[in-house]
Amino acid sequence: GLLGYDVTVHNHAEDVALPHRVHDSGKNICAKIVDQTRGKLEVAPCFLPPSISAGPYWVVAYSDSEGYALISGGAPKHSAEGGCRTGMR
C-alpha cells in the first residue's frame, strides 16, 4: 500500500458505562502489519510514513467473517481466559 501501510483503520469505541458514549475518529487512519503471528501493528495517519509517526498496537480479537478486529493500544500485559489483556480485569 501507499507509504507501506497494509490496512485502513476506522477508530470506533463505545463507553461501557451508560449512556455508552461513542468515540469515533471520523476519518480513516492506516496500519502496517509488523508481526502477523503476534498481531502487532503500527498505526498512524495515512499521510505520514509509519517510520516517523506510527504507534504500537496489538490485535486482541479478529473475525474476517464478521468484519471486525479489536485492537489494543499497547502490549497485552495480563494473561486471561481466551488471550491477554492490557489492564482491565
Side-chain angles (χ1 to χ4, degrees):
L2 186 63
L3 298 177
Y5 290 111
D6 302 301
V7 180
T8 302
V9 177
H10 176 193
N11 274 344
H12 178 92
E14 297 177 17
D15 290 342
V16 174
L18 290 173
H20 306 297
R21 196 172 91 203
V22 172
H23 305 272
D24 195 303
S25 62
K27 295 185 178 179
N28 288 336
I29 55 178
C30 289
K32 177 181 178 179
I33 299 169
V34 176
D35 185 335
Q36 187 169 354
T37 303
R38 293 181 53 220
K40 186 175 181 183
L41 306 171
E42 290 181 343
V43 179
C46 298
F47 61 88
L48 296 172
S51 61
I52 64 168
S53 62
Y57 289 80
W58 276 257
V59 177
V60 179
Y62 168 78
S63 172
D64 192 35
S65 64
E66 293 182 40
Y68 78 88
L70 178 61
I71 309 298
S72 169
K77 298 177 182 176
H78 305 284
S79 293
E81 186 176 326
C84 295
R85 297 182 181 174
T86 59
M88 297 182 69
R89 294 176 184 233

